[in-house]
Amino acid sequence: MKKLRNQKALLLMSIPFLIWLFIFKYLPIWGWTMAFQDFKPIRSFFEQEWVGLKHFTFLFSDAAFLRVLRNTFAMSAINLVLGFVTAITLALLLNELGGRIFKRTVQTISYMPHFLSWVVTASIVSYTLSMENGIINILLLKFGFINEPILFLGIGKYFWGILGATEVWKNLGWNTIIYLAAITMIDPEQYEAANIDGASRIQKIRYITLPALKPTIIILLIMNLGHILESGFEPQYLLGNPMNLDYSENLDIFVLKYGISLGNYSLATAAGIFKTIVSFIFLFAANSMAKKFGQARLF
């Protein structure tokens, strides 16, 4: 209580944020009741028909939902692995660059795509993969890897790879910022001592840089596992088409298509609750495992 009295100015400053948090994050939880009703907008709350777990039962018995769930997990896993590996690798490579101007230039160019909207990005990807003027098809034909152009966005099994590569291109530079910031916190004397001992660059990365990055990597991994069902919406919606629908449709598009668009708000809410519960489980499980092994954790 003494600390609260001493920090009353900070508490007063936090009140607007607490109000915002309550209005936009906690108050809407009341809407979860729709998942247990056959919700009709024209009826009041007390006139709604309660149906228990009917909509949850339907979700897990629906082949379309299970397919969508597979796609969501697959795309999330691909984005997670590629995002971590490429960002850490680029951060290590940038750290090894000697020229400061060149290093800053490469870093700036690498994170510029992050500021492009997904509408622009999807247009670039579609044009790049075009059968007529797409640079990918032109290069593959020129070097003899294929005999005729490929309709990449028309073949479902290619979609996950296309999405993963697009996510890397768009967010790679931006994702490296936090790793570069963590690298700057490493004591330079450790590198000087390693130089005196005759350590190579690979050895310095292995025994100094990566161990120093380990807490940051674990914390970010825990946070990303908490969003395991957040595989995106815009790229799948913009790059998806009837030909790749079996691989491009994810949970968010399912909710929009079969829930909101058809007026089945109860089904959409049930899917949203499932998404939240799974994210909650992954977050706490990952944090508990980190705690068990004595690693950095969120709480």
Side-chain angles (χ1 to χ4, degrees):
M1 295 302 297
K2 182 179 179 181
K3 184 176 290 187
L4 289 176
R5 286 194 297 270
N6 292 336
Q7 298 181 358
K8 58 184 178 182
L10 293 176
L11 291 174
L12 290 173
M13 290 171 62
S14 68
I15 289 176
F17 300 101
L18 292 174
I19 294 174
W20 176 90
L21 188 69
F22 176 76
I23 293 175
F24 292 101
K25 298 296 182 180
Y26 287 96
L27 195 59
I29 293 178
W30 171 259
W32 279 13
T33 56
M34 288 191 295
F36 307 97
Q37 305 168 343
D38 269 335
F39 180 78
K40 305 296 181 185
I42 59 174
R43 298 177 184 173
S44 68
F45 176 78
F46 298 101
E47 295 174 336
Q48 300 295 336
E49 179 184 356
W50 294 86
V51 294
L53 299 176
K54 170 187 171 183
H55 299 291
F56 293 95
T57 304
F58 172 78
L59 282 177
F60 292 109
S61 61
D62 182 34
F65 178 76
L66 298 179
R67 171 177 53 80
V68 164
L69 199 58
R70 177 206 65 180
N71 295 343
T72 303
F73 273 113
M75 287 185 279
S76 293
I78 291 171
N79 292 340
L80 182 66
V81 173
L82 289 179
F84 268 86
V85 173
T86 55
I88 294 170
T89 302
L90 180 60
L92 294 174
L93 292 175
L94 287 174
N95 185 57
E96 294 299 316
L97 290 177
R100 185 175 181 180
I101 296 177
F102 180 70
K103 177 180 177 179
R104 299 268 179 158
T105 303
V106 172
Q107 186 180 356
T108 302
I109 293 173
S110 67
Y111 70 63
M112 283 176 64
H114 175 78
F115 299 99
L116 294 176
S117 70
W118 269 111
V119 175
V120 175
T121 303
S123 298
I124 294 173
V125 173
S126 298
Y127 189 80
T128 302
L129 298 176
S130 171
M131 291 182 64
E132 298 177 359
N133 302 313
I135 186 63
I136 301 299
N137 272 311
I138 292 174
L139 291 175
L140 292 176
L141 286 169
K142 184 175 181 179
F143 289 105
F145 291 107
I146 58 176
N147 296 320
E148 57 183 16
I150 300 174
L151 182 60
F152 287 100
L153 290 176
I155 302 175
K157 63 181 181 181
Y158 291 158
F159 187 84
W160 294 349
I162 292 171
L163 179 67
T166 305
E167 288 278 2
V168 168
W169 173 75
K170 191 174 190 300
N171 298 314
L172 173 59
W174 185 260
N175 291 338
T176 61
I177 293 176
I178 191 168
Y179 296 112
L180 289 171
I183 289 174
T184 60
M185 301 301 294
I186 301 174
D187 188 354
E189 293 183 358
Q190 295 187 44
Y191 291 107
E192 294 174 4
N195 288 330
I196 294 173
D197 292 337
S200 64
R201 285 192 172 189
I202 298 297
Q203 289 174 323
K204 286 187 284 186
I205 291 173
R206 179 180 178 183
Y207 296 107
I208 299 176
T209 310
L210 284 177
L213 286 177
K214 189 177 179 181
T216 303
I217 295 172
I218 293 175
I219 291 295
L220 291 175
L221 180 60
I222 293 172
M223 294 175 66
N224 278 275
L225 285 174
H227 297 279
I228 193 65
L229 291 182
E230 298 285 348
S231 62
F233 172 78
E234 292 96 338
Q236 289 86 349
Y237 187 78
L238 295 169
L239 295 174
N241 58 64
M243 291 182 287
N244 60 33
L245 188 64
D246 288 342
Y247 290 85
S248 64
E249 188 177 21
N250 66 355
L251 192 56
D252 289 338
I253 295 177
F254 177 87
V255 170
L256 174 66
K257 185 176 179 181
Y258 298 100
I260 299 175
S261 296
L262 297 179
N264 193 345
Y265 304 108
S266 297
L267 182 67
T269 306
I273 292 176
F274 168 76
K275 183 177 176 181
T276 301
I277 292 174
V278 170
S279 299
F280 184 86
I281 293 172
F282 269 88
L283 176 66
F284 276 80
N287 191 75
S288 298
M289 289 184 64
K291 182 178 180 180
K292 181 179 180 180
F293 291 103
Q295 303 297 328
R297 57 189 187 274
L298 282 176
F299 48 86

